[in-house]
């Protein structure tokens, strides 16, 4: 526990919050910038004396419950909350599971890419959000239950409609290796997440290929820069693949674009029309 750094951090976070931020009256004689110590203590459900000792670098190591109360009272971000725990000598517990909520700005981005197939995946390769062209190129994810939107489950367990593994993509075997490696890394980051454990157990029980890849203990993989989809309506569609990391959510934005002027670009343009027609049903 670094008492001096903890004290300075608590004081700096306290001074940046105004009473109005937490629904408290400012009062006519307020001289302290931000909140008073007793106000933070009240919001954190601890004694004012105890909080004062923490800010004076004289307090004992706070429990996880106290740290949670302080983080809530001081409106700490995820990064600040983790820093608070490290200063107190109590590293934060692993997150309960892969984040699934997609930021509104990312959702807006997907909608502004009409000629690009784009979607967002979680740490376990669950498709969390997508635009119309991604649905037209791959599958209407809105028509699937949540468990069937997971690309790891899809590549290993199917269904492989019309003999097309993973939407007839040319790098299905390579993607399977990538998926197993990424799932192993996610399992290490979220050791207490039941949904991750259940997914791994299901794949081990039902897929010999997955069990073999899982047994290699490999993690990490190189990017796939180009792939071809065998689409049942427009034929082969070759796309460049780019991946953007959303590090604070442990998510990725996958973007598929075709070379300008190519037959694949024309196929995507056609799919953008067909896909819109096919997705008229309310979600």
């Amino acid at each position: 526990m670094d008492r001096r750094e903890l004290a300075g951090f608590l004081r700096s976070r306290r001074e940046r919050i105004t009473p109005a931020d937490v629904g408290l009256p400012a009062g006519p004689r307020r001289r302290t910038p931000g909140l008073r110590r007793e106000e933070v203590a009240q919001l954190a459900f601890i004694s004012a004396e105890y909080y004062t000792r923490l800010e004076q670098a004289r307090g004992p190591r706070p429990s996880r419950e106290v740290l949670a109360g302080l983080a809530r009272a001081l409106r700490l971000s995820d990064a600040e909350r983790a820093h608070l725990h490290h200063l107190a000598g109590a590293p934060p517990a692993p997150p309960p599971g892969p984040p699934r909520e997609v930021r509104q700005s990312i959702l807006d981005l997907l909608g502004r890419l009409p000629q690009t197939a784009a979607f967002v995946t979680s740490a376990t390769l669950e498709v969390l959000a997508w635009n119309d062209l991604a649905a037209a190129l791959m599958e209407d994810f809105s028509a699937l239950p949540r468990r069937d939107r997971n690309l790891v489950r899809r590549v290993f367990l199917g269904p492989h409609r019309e003999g097309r593994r993973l939407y007839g993509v040319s790098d299905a075997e390579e993607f399977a290796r990538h998926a197993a490696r990424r799932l192993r890394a996610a399992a290490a980051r979220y050791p207490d997440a039941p949904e991750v454990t259940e997914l791994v157990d299901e794949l081990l029980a039902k897929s010999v290929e997955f069990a073999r890849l899982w047994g290699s203990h490999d993690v990490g993989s190189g990017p796939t820069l180009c792939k071809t989809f065998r689409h049942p309506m427009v034929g082969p569609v070759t796309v460049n693949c780019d991946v953007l990391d959303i590090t604070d959510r442990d998510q990725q934005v996958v973007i598929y674009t075709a070379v300008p002027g190519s037959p694949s670009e024309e196929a995507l343009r056609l799919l953008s029309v067909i896909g819109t027609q096919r997705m008229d049903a309310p979600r």
Side-chain angles (χ1 to χ4, degrees), residues 1-261:
M1 176 178 174
D2 191 331
R3 286 179 172 80
R4 188 174 298 279
E5 285 294 323
L6 176 62
F9 182 67
L10 290 173
R11 185 166 53 254
S12 69
R13 300 306 91 176
R14 172 174 62 84
E15 291 176 350
R16 73 176 183 176
I17 301 176
T18 67
D21 291 335
V22 293
L24 294 175
R29 297 183 178 179
R30 180 175 295 272
R31 297 177 182 176
T32 304
L35 297 179
R36 298 187 178 104
R37 288 173 176 170
E38 57 268 25
E39 290 171 335
V40 173
Q42 179 184 355
L43 292 169
F45 299 104
I46 60 177
S47 72
E49 179 184 0
Y50 179 42
Y51 179 76
T52 298
R53 291 177 66 192
L54 288 176
E55 272 207 16
Q56 293 176 344
R58 298 188 298 112
R61 174 181 293 177
S63 66
R64 291 187 180 275
E65 290 75 15
V66 169
L67 292 173
L70 290 171
R72 183 178 58 252
L74 296 171
R75 297 193 166 191
L76 301 186
S77 66
D78 290 344
E80 290 170 332
R81 185 181 296 109
H83 185 59
L84 173 69
H85 275 263
H86 285 295
L87 291 178
R100 297 189 64 256
E101 183 179 355
V102 181
R103 281 203 304 267
Q104 185 59 48
S105 59
I106 300 298
L107 296 176
D108 293 341
L109 173 65
L110 298 185
R112 291 174 181 147
L113 300 172
Q115 300 301 319
T116 299
F119 56 98
V120 180
T121 61
S122 71
T124 59
L125 285 171
E126 177 188 346
V127 177
L128 304 175
W130 57 91
N131 63 9
D132 287 356
L133 191 51
L137 179 64
M138 300 166 68
E139 186 165 19
D140 185 359
F141 297 105
S142 66
L144 301 176
R146 175 188 164 188
R147 63 174 275 112
D148 293 339
R149 296 175 188 169
N150 187 284
L151 298 181
V152 187
R153 182 180 283 112
R154 180 60 180 262
V155 73
F156 287 106
L157 303 183
H160 306 312
R161 297 193 178 103
E162 301 176 1
R164 298 182 306 125
R165 186 182 189 188
L166 196 66
Y167 317 114
V169 73
S170 58
D171 68 334
E173 286 70 27
E174 181 181 346
F175 179 83
R177 291 191 293 271
H178 162 77
R181 292 172 177 178
R182 184 166 173 188
L183 185 56
R184 178 170 282 285
R189 292 197 299 276
Y190 306 101
D192 300 321
E195 64 181 276
V196 179
T197 302
E198 290 168 6
L199 176 58
V200 172
D201 290 345
E202 178 187 9
L203 292 168
L204 286 172
K206 296 181 179 180
S207 172
V208 174
E209 180 187 10
F210 178 82
R212 176 178 57 80
L213 292 170
W214 188 259
S216 70
H217 291 267
D218 290 337
V219 293
S221 58
T224 298
L225 301 180
C226 183
K227 62 179 67 185
T228 299
F229 287 84
R230 289 188 293 113
H231 195 276
M233 299 184 69
V234 300
V237 182
T238 300
V239 293
N240 296 317
C241 177
D242 292 286
V243 178
L244 309 177
D245 288 320
I246 310 174
T247 54
D248 64 314
R249 300 291 176 96
D250 201 6
Q251 297 168 359
Q252 290 186 328
V253 182
V254 181
I255 300 174
Y256 293 147
T257 56
V259 174

